[in-house]
Amino acid sequence: MAPTVFKSEFAVNMTCSSCADSVRSTLSGIDGIDKIDIQLPEKRVMVEGAVPPSTIFRALKATGLATVLRGQGSTGSANIGAAVCIFETFQGAKGWAQFNNKGLARLQQVDEQTCLIDVAVDGLQEGHWTAAVHTLGDISKGIESTGPEFAELGSFEVGPSGRGDLVAETSKLKVWDVIGRSIVLSHQPTSGTRIPLIAGIIARSAGIFENAKRVCSCSGRTLWEETTPF
């Protein structure tokens, strides 16, 4: 079986030609990348090759430039499945929902075996956080009504800015298995158990490159642009 060829689009906060040169130099050193297209005025980087988006994402972040995954596709992945989860904040693990849009989680089934996970959230407490799919899509009683954990998505660190992001691939779940369930974000202190604080319901979505719906008429951003911090 031929390897999956990923086609990924990133928003990278490049401000000058030196930034663009740094991005190109970093990506050119990664084996498996076939094509790099950098558009400085639009702060856009397109990458094509047999390299998972999470690997490219980490490499771009290592340059020190703010980076967001804006879109992703792959060979044979057209309309295979996509989902989105908009988070709500809760007052403690047993609290009732108080809506406060902190960010999004996006899931894209890039091939039959691989699900791409992209979480971007602002306004979080500094420290270690985890993301997991829970069995139920019921947030009527806050986190406690989302049921037991269904699948762990990964962990990420939040710095002083309060922004956290997670880009990863997993073969442990499929998009069509998690529609209608929930994603819960938990803060985990250095010593102590996880404190679930943020959750949202997973809904079916168009593909990342296909969704042109506006989240808010104020910003004019589409669903897949909403997490871009610049």
Side-chain angles (χ1 to χ4, degrees), residues 91-180:
Q91 297 298 316
K94 296 183 178 181
W96 291 81
Q98 292 189 0
F99 185 76
N100 184 1
N101 187 358
K102 292 289 186 181
L104 303 169
R106 306 177 294 182
L107 297 92
Q108 176 87 6
Q109 196 70 34
V110 296
D111 58 33
E112 290 291 343
Q113 302 299 323
T114 309
C115 179
L116 173 70
I117 301 157
D118 174 22
V119 178
V121 196
D122 286 301
L124 300 183
Q125 182 177 346
E126 185 175 358
H128 186 75
W129 286 74
T130 60
V133 174
H134 280 218
T135 305
L136 305 178
D138 179 5
I139 58 174
S140 62
K141 295 183 180 180
I143 306 292
E144 65 176 340
S145 58
T146 60
E149 184 175 305
F150 177 79
E152 187 168 340
L153 299 180
S155 61
F156 56 95
E157 300 297 325
V158 175
S161 68
R163 182 174 180 83
D165 44 46
L166 167 67
V167 175
E169 295 85 19
T170 181
S171 59
K172 296 180 180 179
L173 58 83
K174 308 291 190 296
V175 165
W176 45 84
D177 292 330
V178 297
I179 300 294

Side-chain angles (χ1 to χ4, degrees), residues 4 38 42 52 66 69-71 84 98-99 103 108-109 112 114 123 132 145-146 159 167 181 190 198 206 210 213:
T4 298
I38 299 175
E42 293 79 19
L69 175 63
R70 288 190 57 187
V84 64
Q98 292 189 0
F99 185 76
Q108 176 87 6
Q109 196 70 34
E112 290 291 343
T114 309
S145 58
T146 60
V167 175
R181 301 186 191 274
T190 304
I198 297 174
E210 302 168 345
K213 295 178 180 178

